[in-house]
């Protein structure tokens, strides 16, 4: 035996003696980690999912069986729909009317600022139009364009009117989106226009925009931030008004706005099944409940969940058997899925009662407890028994999951199932 072979054998023996073996097994059996950072799932059209990640806008159809085992499943191709150009990242995007991808890219001259054009990809023709003229009716135009504060999955465009210090929620005008021009319309209801005129003692700005979509209903929540000092914003300095919107046929209408300022930074929100209450989850773990029985959203109660959450975290609502469940993912990669449970409140008037929480790592949570969940999308809901979702993660790819409502708090395979990473099914 050659000397180098003897040295290799000695080194291997040392490794085996110093390890319990589990590390070697883990290395051998570990799945490949996709090089993807999912940011938004924009929608699913004819079995093809459209999404935004850290490299641009993509499409991908669901996986198909090529053999009898899971390793024989392959994706039916991945195509870049909107490629970054000259290092300009896609900042905001949406899927409009199941036909157009609308998007904004960052650039040196308008980094999250004034815009006069918008990008458009036509799914029907497969053609990309990177600079389509943009207009917003109902908002005073400036010489440079519009100060864009965000474009979101439901088509909601948050625009700052620099001339009048006001913020508007806008939406794509019907029949006014094509390759020649894209026109948005601002809400004109006085309750939906946010007057953010600054004074010497109080500074206002747009806070954040949150979005909740199911197959039946779409909601959004926008915050108007009160900066109480010149320090960097954190939870202790966060005061905001909350605006809850319901979307019908691509047009938002105001459900309610808060009567007083909300004291902590929201992580996400849900509206209950009767549309009489909103749950707002904060980054510090506090869960606030608001009554929506009128256009004034009144704070009812709050409880601490005991966990911390990231902005835009997974927050999925289920109503079943006289209970309300909120499926969440705390702001740690290795944290389990947490299900918050309450007694159902169809009147939207009672405090948070019978609060309970469950920690899940099995069933539908099996592949979601080892990474951050950046986005999710409801594929289908059985009105009496289960939900099917897509979930995009920070590092581990995308999966499809099935949640069984009757066992949603059970930490076992009875609560549902999950696909392997990047082998998701959009036809569940």
């Amino acid at each position: 035996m050659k000397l180098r072979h003897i040295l290799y054998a000695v080194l291997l023996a040392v490794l085996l003696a110093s390890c319990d073996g589990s590390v070697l097994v883990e290395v051998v059996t570990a799945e490949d980690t996709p090089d993807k950072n999912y940011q938004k799932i924009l929608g699913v059209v004819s079995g093809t999912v459209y999404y935004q990640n850290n490299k641009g806008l993509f499409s991908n159809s669901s996986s198909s069986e090529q053999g009898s085992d899971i390793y024989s499943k392959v994706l039916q191709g991945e195509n870049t729909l909107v490629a970054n150009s000259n290092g300009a990242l896609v900042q905001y995007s949406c899927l409009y009317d199941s036909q157009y991808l609308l998007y904004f890219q960052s650039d040196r001259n308008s980094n999250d600022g004034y815009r006069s054009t918008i990008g458009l990809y036509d799914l029907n023709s497969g053609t990309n139009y990177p600079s389509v003229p943009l207009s917003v009716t109902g908002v005073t135009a400036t010489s440079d364009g519009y100060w864009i504060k965000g474009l979101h999955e439901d088509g909601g465009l948050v625009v700052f009117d620099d001339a009048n210090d006001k913020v508007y929620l806008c939406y794509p005008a019907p029949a006014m989106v094509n390759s020649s021009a894209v026109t948005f319309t601002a809400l004109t209801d006085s309750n939906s226009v946010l007057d953010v005129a600054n004074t010497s003692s109080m500074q206002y700005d747009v806070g954040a925009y949150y979005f909740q979509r199911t197959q039946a209903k779409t909601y959004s929540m926008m915050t108007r931030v009160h900066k109480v000092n010149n320090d960097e914003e954190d939870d202790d300095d966060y005061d905001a008004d909350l605006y809850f919107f319901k979307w019908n046929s691509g047009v938002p209408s105001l459900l309610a706005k808060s009567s007083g300022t909300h004291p902590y930074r929201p992580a996400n929100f849900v509206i209950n099944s009767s549309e009489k209450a909103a749950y707002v989850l904060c980054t510090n773990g506090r869960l606030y409940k608001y009554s929506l029985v009128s256009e004034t959203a009144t704070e009812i109660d709050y409880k601490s969940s005991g966990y911390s959450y990231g902005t835009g975290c997974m927050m999925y609502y289920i109503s079943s058997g006289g209970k309300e469940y909120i499926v969440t993912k705390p702001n740690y990669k290795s944290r389990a899925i947490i299900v918050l449970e309450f007694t159902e409140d169809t009147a939207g008037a009672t405090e948070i009662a019978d609060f309970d929480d469950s920690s899940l790592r099995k069933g539908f949570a099996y592949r979601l407890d080892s990474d951050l969940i950046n986005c999710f999308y409801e594929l289908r809901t059985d009105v009496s028994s289960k939900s099917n979702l897509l979930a995009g993660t920070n590092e581990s790819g995308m999966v499809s999951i099935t949640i069984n409502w009757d066992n949603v708090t059970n930490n076992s395979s009875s609560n549902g199932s999950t696909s392997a990473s990047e082998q998701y099914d959009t036809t569940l």
Side-chain angles (χ1 to χ4, degrees), residues 28-338:
V28 171
T29 61
E31 297 180 27
D32 292 335
T33 300
D35 182 21
K36 291 183 180 178
N37 178 292
Y38 287 98
Q39 297 172 336
K40 286 183 180 181
I41 299 176
L42 303 177
V44 177
V45 180
S46 300
T48 298
V49 58
Y50 297 91
Y51 60 87
Q52 177 182 326
N53 68 11
N54 58 341
K55 295 181 180 179
L57 299 184
F58 291 82
S59 71
N60 211 328
S61 51
S62 59
S63 59
S64 62
E65 291 280 359
Q66 300 297 312
S68 59
D69 61 90
I70 64 170
Y71 301 104
S72 297
K73 287 185 177 181
V74 296
L75 292 174
Q76 296 174 349
E78 178 177 292
N79 301 300
T80 301
L81 294 180
V82 181
N84 296 329
S85 60
N86 299 322
L89 298 176
V90 174
Q91 291 180 300
Y92 310 120
S93 60
C94 77
L95 175 61
Y96 176 69
D97 199 28
S98 299
Q99 181 179 351
Y100 301 108
L101 286 174
L102 304 178
Y103 63 94
F104 290 103
Q105 289 192 185
S106 64
D107 57 61
R108 296 176 181 177
N109 297 322
S110 59
N111 184 19
D112 196 14
Y114 287 113
R115 309 280 184 164
S116 59
T117 63
I118 189 171
L120 179 147
Y121 184 93
D122 189 335
L123 272 61
N124 290 347
S125 66
T127 307
N128 181 47
Y129 303 93
S131 299
V132 177
L134 168 68
S135 62
V136 180
T137 61
V139 179
T140 302
T142 68
S143 59
D144 294 311
Y146 299 92
W147 188 261
I148 302 300
K149 292 290 186 174
L151 172 65
H152 303 275
E153 295 98 309
D154 52 9
L157 183 72
V158 182
V159 175
F160 180 66
D161 177 2
D162 193 30
N164 298 294
D165 283 338
K166 290 187 177 181
V167 174
Y168 295 83
L169 176 60
C170 310
Y171 57 96
M176 295 297 288
V177 175
N178 52 60
S179 58
S180 300
V182 175
T183 301
F184 286 81
T185 299
L187 288 181
T188 56
D189 187 320
S190 60
N191 289 325
S192 303
V193 178
L194 311 185
D195 188 342
V196 293
N198 294 326
T199 67
S200 58
S201 60
M202 186 72 74
Q203 299 292 308
Y204 300 93
D205 200 353
V206 179
Y209 187 94
Y210 303 89
F211 169 70
Q212 175 196 155
R213 173 176 50 196
T214 68
Q215 290 301 305
K217 297 177 181 179
T218 298
Y219 305 98
S220 58
M221 181 180 75
M222 186 162 56
T223 65
R224 179 180 70 171
V225 176
H226 300 216
K227 281 186 65 67
V228 296
N229 55 48
N230 293 325
D231 296 336
E232 291 294 324
E233 290 182 13
D234 57 33
D235 281 339
D236 293 332
D237 295 328
Y238 191 97
D239 288 320
D241 299 327
L242 305 180
Y243 292 77
F244 300 98
F245 297 94
K246 180 180 178 180
W247 289 73
N248 293 299
S249 302
V251 178
S253 60
L254 183 71
L255 269 177
K257 64 178 180 180
S258 58
S259 58
T261 58
H262 183 79
Y264 295 101
R265 186 182 303 279
N268 216 328
F269 83 108
V270 294
I271 305 293
N272 77 347
S273 58
S274 65
E275 295 185 351
K276 296 294 182 61
Y279 292 101
V280 179
L281 184 63
C282 300
T283 55
N284 63 0
R286 284 194 178 190
L287 184 74
Y288 282 79
K289 184 177 181 179
Y290 286 87
S291 172
L292 304 181
V293 295
S294 68
E295 283 197 350
T296 299
T298 305
E299 180 187 322
I300 299 175
D301 189 21
Y302 72 84
K303 289 284 192 299
S304 176
S305 68
Y307 307 95
S308 62
Y309 292 87
T311 302
C313 67
M314 180 178 187
M315 190 177 182
Y316 181 71
Y317 173 85
I318 295 171
S319 175
S320 178
K323 294 283 190 178
E324 295 180 326
Y325 304 94
I326 302 177
V327 181
T328 71
K329 170 68 174 182
N331 194 30
Y332 301 97
K333 288 176 60 174
S334 59
R335 273 288 190 186
I337 293 292
I338 304 298

Side-chain angles (χ1 to χ4, degrees), residues 371-392:
D371 202 350
L372 297 178
I373 302 173
N374 291 343
C375 51
F376 63 100
Y377 178 87
E378 185 183 78
L379 291 166
R380 185 186 306 172
T381 297
D382 184 310
V383 295
S384 61
S385 64
K386 65 182 180 181
S387 298
N388 296 307
L389 310 177
L390 288 176

